[in-house]
Amino acid sequence: MHQSTTTTGGHALSTQGHPTERFTHGHLIRRLSQLYLGLALYGASSALLVEAGLGLEPWNVLHQGLAELTGLTIGVVSIFVGAAVLLLWIPLRQRPGLGTVSNVFVVGIAMDGTLALLPEAHSLAVRIPLLLAGIVLNGVATGLYIAARFGPGPRDGLMTGLHRRTGRSIRLMRTAVEITVVVTGFALGGTVGVGTVLYAVSIGPLAQLFLRVFAVPSASDGSTVVATGQPRRAILRP
């Protein structure tokens, strides 16, 4: 192992960092990289689903409906909705993390940026691959940013907060909230279709797979931390 020295007053001083310190520094860099890459890819994957036009994930149905109503871009609406949902954490006594706050902004910015770069897709021969790529990329992104362990997305925090305050299951809270946002978004002009259903049945297994692929070793002992439990309990929404 390389070790450099400097001299002060005739005494040689080692500049080699402690192995634990170097590991912790590298560990934090990896977690931060995974967080922001995951959030950016989440926004990009959502843009692919928007461009495919075959159905969006539940919250983006609402975002698209509100965008149609207000004239704002879907990414900007996503930011406003994320911030509003985060305010609901206050009465639910939820604590946001770095990932929670970053989630609000990065996903929306990445979504609008990707949509600005994508050409319009008209034929099913293009739209179907866009849909499939968007769903798989969403699973990759979910695995990346959850495995970084910087806190849940604002929408998932809302669901877990409701679970704690009401005593109802997370599955029930998620179902109730997502049905509400899908129905509301659809009524406002959001796109619901085969993509919405395909996303719902595939994102859990995909997220669980990529959580294991991108699991970050623990800083204390180098062991790998992997999310456990059913995929539906994972943080699957930005």
Side-chain angles (χ1 to χ4, degrees), residues 149-185:
R149 305 194 311 278
F150 277 109
R155 296 155 184 83
D156 271 282
L158 171 64
M159 297 172 197
T160 55
L162 289 171
H163 156 68
R164 292 192 184 100
R165 291 301 294 268
T166 65
R168 304 291 185 179
S169 70
I170 292 178
R171 184 189 298 265
L172 177 61
M173 290 297 96
R174 180 182 296 283
T175 301
V177 169
E178 292 190 348
I179 287 176
T180 301
V181 299
V182 166
V183 170
T184 304

PDB file of all heavy atoms in Angstrom, residues 149-185:
ATOM      1  N   ARG A 149     -29.924   5.322   0.965  1.00  0.00           N
ATOM      2  CA  ARG A 149     -30.393   5.477   2.351  1.00  0.00           C
ATOM      3  C   ARG A 149     -30.247   6.916   2.870  1.00  0.00           C
ATOM      4  O   ARG A 149     -29.692   7.164   3.924  1.00  0.00           O
ATOM      5  CB  ARG A 149     -29.654   4.506   3.288  1.00  0.00           C
ATOM      6  CG  ARG A 149     -29.747   3.058   2.873  1.00  0.00           C
ATOM      7  CD  ARG A 149     -29.314   2.108   3.978  1.00  0.00           C
ATOM      8  NE  ARG A 149     -28.055   2.439   4.581  1.00  0.00           N
ATOM      9  CZ  ARG A 149     -26.853   2.131   4.100  1.00  0.00           C
ATOM     10  NH1 ARG A 149     -26.758   1.464   2.958  1.00  0.00           N
ATOM     11  NH2 ARG A 149     -25.765   2.447   4.741  1.00  0.00           N
ATOM     12  N   PHE A 150     -30.800   7.860   2.103  1.00  0.00           N
ATOM     13  CA  PHE A 150     -30.824   9.254   2.542  1.00  0.00           C
ATOM     14  C   PHE A 150     -32.242   9.732   2.850  1.00  0.00           C
ATOM     15  O   PHE A 150     -32.492  10.931   2.906  1.00  0.00           O
ATOM     16  CB  PHE A 150     -30.199  10.171   1.479  1.00  0.00           C
ATOM     17  CG  PHE A 150     -28.706  10.233   1.551  1.00  0.00           C
ATOM     18  CD1 PHE A 150     -27.927   9.642   0.567  1.00  0.00           C
ATOM     19  CD2 PHE A 150     -28.070  10.877   2.597  1.00  0.00           C
ATOM     20  CE1 PHE A 150     -26.548   9.699   0.616  1.00  0.00           C
ATOM     21  CE2 PHE A 150     -26.684  10.953   2.664  1.00  0.00           C
ATOM     22  CZ  PHE A 150     -25.915  10.354   1.667  1.00  0.00           C
ATOM     23  N   GLY A 151     -33.165   8.818   3.046  1.00  0.00           N
ATOM     24  CA  GLY A 151     -34.529   9.197   3.396  1.00  0.00           C
ATOM     25  C   GLY A 151     -35.509   8.912   2.278  1.00  0.00           C
ATOM     26  O   GLY A 151     -35.136   8.880   1.105  1.00  0.00           O
ATOM     27  N   PRO A 152     -36.774   8.706   2.637  1.00  0.00           N
ATOM     28  CA  PRO A 152     -37.804   8.391   1.644  1.00  0.00           C
ATOM     29  C   PRO A 152     -38.208   9.598   0.822  1.00  0.00           C
ATOM     30  O   PRO A 152     -37.962  10.741   1.201  1.00  0.00           O
ATOM     31  CB  PRO A 152     -38.980   7.920   2.510  1.00  0.00           C
ATOM     32  CG  PRO A 152     -38.819   8.688   3.786  1.00  0.00           C
ATOM     33  CD  PRO A 152     -37.327   8.767   3.999  1.00  0.00           C
ATOM     34  N   GLY A 153     -38.821   9.337  -0.313  1.00  0.00           N
ATOM     35  CA  GLY A 153     -39.410  10.412  -1.093  1.00  0.00           C
ATOM     36  C   GLY A 153     -40.587  11.006  -0.349  1.00  0.00           C
ATOM     37  O   GLY A 153     -41.160  10.380   0.541  1.00  0.00           O
ATOM     38  N   PRO A 154     -40.965  12.249  -0.665  1.00  0.00           N
ATOM     39  CA  PRO A 154     -42.050  12.905   0.065  1.00  0.00           C
ATOM     40  C   PRO A 154     -43.369  12.147   0.003  1.00  0.00           C
ATOM     41  O   PRO A 154     -44.117  12.101   0.979  1.00  0.00           O
ATOM     42  CB  PRO A 154     -42.160  14.281  -0.596  1.00  0.00           C
ATOM     43  CG  PRO A 154     -41.455  14.149  -1.912  1.00  0.00           C
ATOM     44  CD  PRO A 154     -40.405  13.118  -1.713  1.00  0.00           C
ATOM     45  N   ARG A 155     -43.658  11.511  -1.126  1.00  0.00           N
ATOM     46  CA  ARG A 155     -44.933  10.814  -1.273  1.00  0.00           C
ATOM     47  C   ARG A 155     -44.961   9.531  -0.460  1.00  0.00           C
ATOM     48  O   ARG A 155     -45.983   9.180   0.123  1.00  0.00           O
ATOM     49  CB  ARG A 155     -45.204  10.568  -2.755  1.00  0.00           C
ATOM     50  CG  ARG A 155     -45.367  11.872  -3.550  1.00  0.00           C
ATOM     51  CD  ARG A 155     -45.027  11.694  -5.016  1.00  0.00           C
ATOM     52  NE  ARG A 155     -45.097  12.947  -5.758  1.00  0.00           N
ATOM     53  CZ  ARG A 155     -44.109  13.839  -5.809  1.00  0.00           C
ATOM     54  NH1 ARG A 155     -42.975  13.635  -5.155  1.00  0.00           N
ATOM     55  NH2 ARG A 155     -44.246  14.962  -6.507  1.00  0.00           N
ATOM     56  N   ASP A 156     -43.829   8.832  -0.397  1.00  0.00           N
ATOM     57  CA  ASP A 156     -43.769   7.632   0.439  1.00  0.00           C
ATOM     58  C   ASP A 156     -43.796   7.978   1.911  1.00  0.00           C
ATOM     59  O   ASP A 156     -44.364   7.244   2.718  1.00  0.00           O
ATOM     60  CB  ASP A 156     -42.519   6.820   0.111  1.00  0.00           C
ATOM     61  CG  ASP A 156     -42.789   5.835  -1.005  1.00  0.00           C
ATOM     62  OD1 ASP A 156     -43.399   4.799  -0.746  1.00  0.00           O
ATOM     63  OD2 ASP A 156     -42.412   6.126  -2.145  1.00  0.00           O
ATOM     64  N   GLY A 157     -43.170   9.101   2.257  1.00  0.00           N
ATOM     65  CA  GLY A 157     -43.237   9.539   3.649  1.00  0.00           C
ATOM     66  C   GLY A 157     -44.659   9.857   4.071  1.00  0.00           C
ATOM     67  O   GLY A 157     -45.054   9.625   5.212  1.00  0.00           O
ATOM     68  N   LEU A 158     -45.438  10.390   3.140  1.00  0.00           N
ATOM     69  CA  LEU A 158     -46.851  10.645   3.426  1.00  0.00           C
ATOM     70  C   LEU A 158     -47.564   9.339   3.751  1.00  0.00           C
ATOM     71  O   LEU A 158     -48.331   9.251   4.721  1.00  0.00           O
ATOM     72  CB  LEU A 158     -47.503  11.316   2.220  1.00  0.00           C
ATOM     73  CG  LEU A 158     -49.028  11.475   2.261  1.00  0.00           C
ATOM     74  CD1 LEU A 158     -49.441  12.404   3.402  1.00  0.00           C
ATOM     75  CD2 LEU A 158     -49.553  11.993   0.916  1.00  0.00           C
ATOM     76  N   MET A 159     -47.317   8.309   2.973  1.00  0.00           N
ATOM     77  CA  MET A 159     -47.996   7.027   3.176  1.00  0.00           C
ATOM     78  C   MET A 159     -47.571   6.359   4.480  1.00  0.00           C
ATOM     79  O   MET A 159     -48.406   5.839   5.217  1.00  0.00           O
ATOM     80  CB  MET A 159     -47.728   6.113   1.983  1.00  0.00           C
ATOM     81  CG  MET A 159     -48.293   6.645   0.673  1.00  0.00           C
ATOM     82  SD  MET A 159     -47.763   5.669  -0.741  1.00  0.00           S
ATOM     83  CE  MET A 159     -48.134   6.789  -2.088  1.00  0.00           C
ATOM     84  N   THR A 160     -46.262   6.373   4.768  1.00  0.00           N
ATOM     85  CA  THR A 160     -45.811   5.765   6.013  1.00  0.00           C
ATOM     86  C   THR A 160     -46.276   6.585   7.221  1.00  0.00           C
ATOM     87  O   THR A 160     -46.560   6.026   8.281  1.00  0.00           O
ATOM     88  CB  THR A 160     -44.279   5.619   6.035  1.00  0.00           C
ATOM     89  OG1 THR A 160     -43.669   6.898   5.802  1.00  0.00           O
ATOM     90  CG2 THR A 160     -43.810   4.647   4.959  1.00  0.00           C
ATOM     91  N   GLY A 161     -46.350   7.910   7.049  1.00  0.00           N
ATOM     92  CA  GLY A 161     -46.869   8.756   8.130  1.00  0.00           C
ATOM     93  C   GLY A 161     -48.331   8.472   8.423  1.00  0.00           C
ATOM     94  O   GLY A 161     -48.749   8.385   9.585  1.00  0.00           O
ATOM     95  N   LEU A 162     -49.124   8.312   7.366  1.00  0.00           N
ATOM     96  CA  LEU A 162     -50.537   7.957   7.547  1.00  0.00           C
ATOM     97  C   LEU A 162     -50.668   6.587   8.203  1.00  0.00           C
ATOM     98  O   LEU A 162     -51.553   6.362   9.037  1.00  0.00           O
ATOM     99  CB  LEU A 162     -51.246   7.959   6.192  1.00  0.00           C
ATOM    100  CG  LEU A 162     -51.476   9.337   5.556  1.00  0.00           C
ATOM    101  CD1 LEU A 162     -51.983   9.186   4.122  1.00  0.00           C
ATOM    102  CD2 LEU A 162     -52.470  10.157   6.385  1.00  0.00           C
ATOM    103  N   HIS A 163     -49.786   5.674   7.837  1.00  0.00           N
ATOM    104  CA  HIS A 163     -49.777   4.339   8.451  1.00  0.00           C
ATOM    105  C   HIS A 163     -49.554   4.440   9.954  1.00  0.00           C
ATOM    106  O   HIS A 163     -50.254   3.806  10.743  1.00  0.00           O
ATOM    107  CB  HIS A 163     -48.694   3.494   7.783  1.00  0.00           C
ATOM    108  CG  HIS A 163     -48.182   2.366   8.616  1.00  0.00           C
ATOM    109  ND1 HIS A 163     -48.957   1.274   8.946  1.00  0.00           N
ATOM    110  CD2 HIS A 163     -46.963   2.159   9.186  1.00  0.00           C
ATOM    111  CE1 HIS A 163     -48.238   0.440   9.686  1.00  0.00           C
ATOM    112  NE2 HIS A 163     -47.041   0.964   9.845  1.00  0.00           N
ATOM    113  N   ARG A 164     -48.574   5.257  10.357  1.00  0.00           N
ATOM    114  CA  ARG A 164     -48.263   5.379  11.783  1.00  0.00           C
ATOM    115  C   ARG A 164     -49.391   6.075  12.556  1.00  0.00           C
ATOM    116  O   ARG A 164     -49.703   5.702  13.684  1.00  0.00           O
ATOM    117  CB  ARG A 164     -46.961   6.161  11.970  1.00  0.00           C
ATOM    118  CG  ARG A 164     -45.727   5.415  11.475  1.00  0.00           C
ATOM    119  CD  ARG A 164     -44.453   6.090  11.956  1.00  0.00           C
ATOM    120  NE  ARG A 164     -43.275   5.431  11.411  1.00  0.00           N
ATOM    121  CZ  ARG A 164     -42.585   5.861  10.374  1.00  0.00           C
ATOM    122  NH1 ARG A 164     -42.964   6.976   9.755  1.00  0.00           N
ATOM    123  NH2 ARG A 164     -41.522   5.215   9.948  1.00  0.00           N
ATOM    124  N   ARG A 165     -49.987   7.091  11.940  1.00  0.00           N
ATOM    125  CA  ARG A 165     -51.016   7.853  12.654  1.00  0.00           C
ATOM    126  C   ARG A 165     -52.359   7.135  12.709  1.00  0.00           C
ATOM    127  O   ARG A 165     -53.125   7.304  13.666  1.00  0.00           O
ATOM    128  CB  ARG A 165     -51.196   9.229  11.993  1.00  0.00           C
ATOM    129  CG  ARG A 165     -50.009  10.164  12.169  1.00  0.00           C
ATOM    130  CD  ARG A 165     -49.679  10.444  13.626  1.00  0.00           C
ATOM    131  NE  ARG A 165     -50.730  11.184  14.285  1.00  0.00           N
ATOM    132  CZ  ARG A 165     -50.783  12.509  14.372  1.00  0.00           C
ATOM    133  NH1 ARG A 165     -49.838  13.232  13.819  1.00  0.00           N
ATOM    134  NH2 ARG A 165     -51.768  13.101  15.004  1.00  0.00           N
ATOM    135  N   THR A 166     -52.680   6.354  11.688  1.00  0.00           N
ATOM    136  CA  THR A 166     -53.993   5.706  11.636  1.00  0.00           C
ATOM    137  C   THR A 166     -53.964   4.256  12.100  1.00  0.00           C
ATOM    138  O   THR A 166     -55.002   3.700  12.461  1.00  0.00           O
ATOM    139  CB  THR A 166     -54.551   5.726  10.202  1.00  0.00           C
ATOM    140  OG1 THR A 166     -53.722   4.929   9.346  1.00  0.00           O
ATOM    141  CG2 THR A 166     -54.616   7.155   9.666  1.00  0.00           C
ATOM    142  N   GLY A 167     -52.783   3.643  12.071  1.00  0.00           N
ATOM    143  CA  GLY A 167     -52.691   2.235  12.421  1.00  0.00           C
ATOM    144  C   GLY A 167     -53.078   1.309  11.281  1.00  0.00           C
ATOM    145  O   GLY A 167     -53.019   0.086  11.419  1.00  0.00           O
ATOM    146  N   ARG A 168     -53.457   1.872  10.144  1.00  0.00           N
ATOM    147  CA  ARG A 168     -53.806   1.063   8.972  1.00  0.00           C
ATOM    148  C   ARG A 168     -52.528   0.583   8.284  1.00  0.00           C
ATOM    149  O   ARG A 168     -51.467   1.173   8.449  1.00  0.00           O
ATOM    150  CB  ARG A 168     -54.647   1.876   7.984  1.00  0.00           C
ATOM    151  CG  ARG A 168     -55.916   2.464   8.581  1.00  0.00           C
ATOM    152  CD  ARG A 168     -56.914   1.376   8.919  1.00  0.00           C
ATOM    153  NE  ARG A 168     -58.179   1.936   9.386  1.00  0.00           N
ATOM    154  CZ  ARG A 168     -59.224   1.211   9.720  1.00  0.00           C
ATOM    155  NH1 ARG A 168     -59.169  -0.112   9.633  1.00  0.00           N
ATOM    156  NH2 ARG A 168     -60.337   1.786  10.148  1.00  0.00           N
ATOM    157  N   SER A 169     -52.648  -0.466   7.491  1.00  0.00           N
ATOM    158  CA  SER A 169     -51.471  -1.027   6.840  1.00  0.00           C
ATOM    159  C   SER A 169     -50.910  -0.077   5.790  1.00  0.00           C
ATOM    160  O   SER A 169     -51.639   0.750   5.224  1.00  0.00           O
ATOM    161  CB  SER A 169     -51.822  -2.367   6.186  1.00  0.00           C
ATOM    162  OG  SER A 169     -52.654  -2.165   5.069  1.00  0.00           O
ATOM    163  N   ILE A 170     -49.606  -0.209   5.525  1.00  0.00           N
ATOM    164  CA  ILE A 170     -48.972   0.590   4.473  1.00  0.00           C
ATOM    165  C   ILE A 170     -49.600   0.276   3.126  1.00  0.00           C
ATOM    166  O   ILE A 170     -49.829   1.169   2.303  1.00  0.00           O
ATOM    167  CB  ILE A 170     -47.455   0.332   4.440  1.00  0.00           C
ATOM    168  CG1 ILE A 170     -46.796   0.883   5.701  1.00  0.00           C
ATOM    169  CG2 ILE A 170     -46.824   0.960   3.198  1.00  0.00           C
ATOM    170  CD1 ILE A 170     -45.308   0.630   5.793  1.00  0.00           C
ATOM    171  N   ARG A 171     -49.903  -1.002   2.904  1.00  0.00           N
ATOM    172  CA  ARG A 171     -50.525  -1.396   1.645  1.00  0.00           C
ATOM    173  C   ARG A 171     -51.856  -0.661   1.449  1.00  0.00           C
ATOM    174  O   ARG A 171     -52.141  -0.147   0.365  1.00  0.00           O
ATOM    175  CB  ARG A 171     -50.768  -2.910   1.626  1.00  0.00           C
ATOM    176  CG  ARG A 171     -51.328  -3.433   0.315  1.00  0.00           C
ATOM    177  CD  ARG A 171     -51.730  -4.896   0.481  1.00  0.00           C
ATOM    178  NE  ARG A 171     -50.605  -5.726   0.813  1.00  0.00           N
ATOM    179  CZ  ARG A 171     -49.889  -6.407  -0.070  1.00  0.00           C
ATOM    180  NH1 ARG A 171     -50.199  -6.318  -1.358  1.00  0.00           N
ATOM    181  NH2 ARG A 171     -48.891  -7.161   0.308  1.00  0.00           N
ATOM    182  N   LEU A 172     -52.661  -0.585   2.499  1.00  0.00           N
ATOM    183  CA  LEU A 172     -53.957   0.090   2.402  1.00  0.00           C
ATOM    184  C   LEU A 172     -53.774   1.579   2.178  1.00  0.00           C
ATOM    185  O   LEU A 172     -54.467   2.188   1.343  1.00  0.00           O
ATOM    186  CB  LEU A 172     -54.774  -0.152   3.677  1.00  0.00           C
ATOM    187  CG  LEU A 172     -56.130   0.558   3.751  1.00  0.00           C
ATOM    188  CD1 LEU A 172     -57.040   0.100   2.624  1.00  0.00           C
ATOM    189  CD2 LEU A 172     -56.783   0.313   5.109  1.00  0.00           C
ATOM    190  N   MET A 173     -52.839   2.201   2.904  1.00  0.00           N
ATOM    191  CA  MET A 173     -52.598   3.634   2.759  1.00  0.00           C
ATOM    192  C   MET A 173     -52.092   3.950   1.349  1.00  0.00           C
ATOM    193  O   MET A 173     -52.533   4.912   0.714  1.00  0.00           O
ATOM    194  CB  MET A 173     -51.580   4.103   3.802  1.00  0.00           C
ATOM    195  CG  MET A 173     -52.094   4.106   5.243  1.00  0.00           C
ATOM    196  SD  MET A 173     -53.478   5.251   5.511  1.00  0.00           S
ATOM    197  CE  MET A 173     -54.888   4.156   5.343  1.00  0.00           C
ATOM    198  N   ARG A 174     -51.166   3.119   0.853  1.00  0.00           N
ATOM    199  CA  ARG A 174     -50.652   3.341  -0.498  1.00  0.00           C
ATOM    200  C   ARG A 174     -51.762   3.214  -1.531  1.00  0.00           C
ATOM    201  O   ARG A 174     -51.904   4.043  -2.432  1.00  0.00           O
ATOM    202  CB  ARG A 174     -49.526   2.346  -0.815  1.00  0.00           C
ATOM    203  CG  ARG A 174     -48.954   2.524  -2.213  1.00  0.00           C
ATOM    204  CD  ARG A 174     -47.887   1.499  -2.514  1.00  0.00           C
ATOM    205  NE  ARG A 174     -46.741   1.647  -1.651  1.00  0.00           N
ATOM    206  CZ  ARG A 174     -45.804   2.576  -1.797  1.00  0.00           C
ATOM    207  NH1 ARG A 174     -45.900   3.468  -2.785  1.00  0.00           N
ATOM    208  NH2 ARG A 174     -44.786   2.633  -0.981  1.00  0.00           N
ATOM    209  N   THR A 175     -52.565   2.161  -1.384  1.00  0.00           N
ATOM    210  CA  THR A 175     -53.652   1.936  -2.340  1.00  0.00           C
ATOM    211  C   THR A 175     -54.636   3.096  -2.329  1.00  0.00           C
ATOM    212  O   THR A 175     -55.041   3.594  -3.391  1.00  0.00           O
ATOM    213  CB  THR A 175     -54.387   0.617  -2.017  1.00  0.00           C
ATOM    214  OG1 THR A 175     -53.452  -0.462  -2.075  1.00  0.00           O
ATOM    215  CG2 THR A 175     -55.513   0.370  -3.010  1.00  0.00           C
ATOM    216  N   ALA A 176     -55.034   3.538  -1.141  1.00  0.00           N
ATOM    217  CA  ALA A 176     -56.004   4.625  -1.028  1.00  0.00           C
ATOM    218  C   ALA A 176     -55.468   5.916  -1.633  1.00  0.00           C
ATOM    219  O   ALA A 176     -56.170   6.606  -2.392  1.00  0.00           O
ATOM    220  CB  ALA A 176     -56.371   4.844   0.441  1.00  0.00           C
ATOM    221  N   VAL A 177     -54.219   6.244  -1.314  1.00  0.00           N
ATOM    222  CA  VAL A 177     -53.628   7.488  -1.818  1.00  0.00           C
ATOM    223  C   VAL A 177     -53.462   7.428  -3.335  1.00  0.00           C
ATOM    224  O   VAL A 177     -53.797   8.378  -4.054  1.00  0.00           O
ATOM    225  CB  VAL A 177     -52.272   7.760  -1.129  1.00  0.00           C
ATOM    226  CG1 VAL A 177     -51.539   8.902  -1.835  1.00  0.00           C
ATOM    227  CG2 VAL A 177     -52.475   8.093   0.343  1.00  0.00           C
ATOM    228  N   GLU A 178     -52.968   6.297  -3.840  1.00  0.00           N
ATOM    229  CA  GLU A 178     -52.681   6.227  -5.270  1.00  0.00           C
ATOM    230  C   GLU A 178     -53.957   6.143  -6.109  1.00  0.00           C
ATOM    231  O   GLU A 178     -54.002   6.675  -7.217  1.00  0.00           O
ATOM    232  CB  GLU A 178     -51.735   5.063  -5.551  1.00  0.00           C
ATOM    233  CG  GLU A 178     -50.353   5.330  -4.963  1.00  0.00           C
ATOM    234  CD  GLU A 178     -49.313   4.340  -5.412  1.00  0.00           C
ATOM    235  OE1 GLU A 178     -49.681   3.298  -6.013  1.00  0.00           O
ATOM    236  OE2 GLU A 178     -48.122   4.600  -5.181  1.00  0.00           O
ATOM    237  N   ILE A 179     -54.985   5.504  -5.600  1.00  0.00           N
ATOM    238  CA  ILE A 179     -56.268   5.525  -6.311  1.00  0.00           C
ATOM    239  C   ILE A 179     -56.796   6.951  -6.385  1.00  0.00           C
ATOM    240  O   ILE A 179     -57.286   7.403  -7.430  1.00  0.00           O
ATOM    241  CB  ILE A 179     -57.296   4.604  -5.626  1.00  0.00           C
ATOM    242  CG1 ILE A 179     -56.937   3.134  -5.890  1.00  0.00           C
ATOM    243  CG2 ILE A 179     -58.707   4.895  -6.140  1.00  0.00           C
ATOM    244  CD1 ILE A 179     -57.840   2.151  -5.174  1.00  0.00           C
ATOM    245  N   THR A 180     -56.658   7.670  -5.275  1.00  0.00           N
ATOM    246  CA  THR A 180     -57.121   9.064  -5.245  1.00  0.00           C
ATOM    247  C   THR A 180     -56.380   9.922  -6.257  1.00  0.00           C
ATOM    248  O   THR A 180     -56.995  10.687  -7.009  1.00  0.00           O
ATOM    249  CB  THR A 180     -56.939   9.653  -3.830  1.00  0.00           C
ATOM    250  OG1 THR A 180     -57.684   8.878  -2.887  1.00  0.00           O
ATOM    251  CG2 THR A 180     -57.407  11.102  -3.786  1.00  0.00           C
ATOM    252  N   VAL A 181     -55.036   9.792  -6.310  1.00  0.00           N
ATOM    253  CA  VAL A 181     -54.282  10.652  -7.223  1.00  0.00           C
ATOM    254  C   VAL A 181     -54.514  10.243  -8.683  1.00  0.00           C
ATOM    255  O   VAL A 181     -54.556  11.108  -9.575  1.00  0.00           O
ATOM    256  CB  VAL A 181     -52.769  10.667  -6.885  1.00  0.00           C
ATOM    257  CG1 VAL A 181     -52.537  11.207  -5.484  1.00  0.00           C
ATOM    258  CG2 VAL A 181     -52.129   9.307  -7.046  1.00  0.00           C
ATOM    259  N   VAL A 182     -54.686   8.943  -8.946  1.00  0.00           N
ATOM    260  CA  VAL A 182     -54.941   8.507 -10.319  1.00  0.00           C
ATOM    261  C   VAL A 182     -56.299   9.012 -10.802  1.00  0.00           C
ATOM    262  O   VAL A 182     -56.421   9.538 -11.920  1.00  0.00           O
ATOM    263  CB  VAL A 182     -54.873   6.969 -10.437  1.00  0.00           C
ATOM    264  CG1 VAL A 182     -55.460   6.502 -11.762  1.00  0.00           C
ATOM    265  CG2 VAL A 182     -53.435   6.493 -10.318  1.00  0.00           C
ATOM    266  N   VAL A 183     -57.330   8.851  -9.978  1.00  0.00           N
ATOM    267  CA  VAL A 183     -58.671   9.292 -10.369  1.00  0.00           C
ATOM    268  C   VAL A 183     -58.691  10.806 -10.579  1.00  0.00           C
ATOM    269  O   VAL A 183     -59.246  11.306 -11.560  1.00  0.00           O
ATOM    270  CB  VAL A 183     -59.713   8.868  -9.313  1.00  0.00           C
ATOM    271  CG1 VAL A 183     -61.064   9.529  -9.590  1.00  0.00           C
ATOM    272  CG2 VAL A 183     -59.866   7.349  -9.295  1.00  0.00           C
ATOM    273  N   THR A 184     -58.074  11.535  -9.649  1.00  0.00           N
ATOM    274  CA  THR A 184     -58.027  12.992  -9.772  1.00  0.00           C
ATOM    275  C   THR A 184     -57.253  13.414 -11.021  1.00  0.00           C
ATOM    276  O   THR A 184     -57.702  14.274 -11.787  1.00  0.00           O
ATOM    277  CB  THR A 184     -57.373  13.624  -8.528  1.00  0.00           C
ATOM    278  OG1 THR A 184     -58.080  13.210  -7.359  1.00  0.00           O
ATOM    279  CG2 THR A 184     -57.385  15.149  -8.624  1.00  0.00           C
ATOM    280  N   GLY A 185     -56.085  12.792 -11.222  1.00  0.00           N
ATOM    281  CA  GLY A 185     -55.276  13.133 -12.387  1.00  0.00           C
ATOM    282  C   GLY A 185     -55.971  12.802 -13.692  1.00  0.00           C
ATOM    283  O   GLY A 185     -55.920  13.580 -14.651  1.00  0.00           O
TER     284      GLY A 185
END
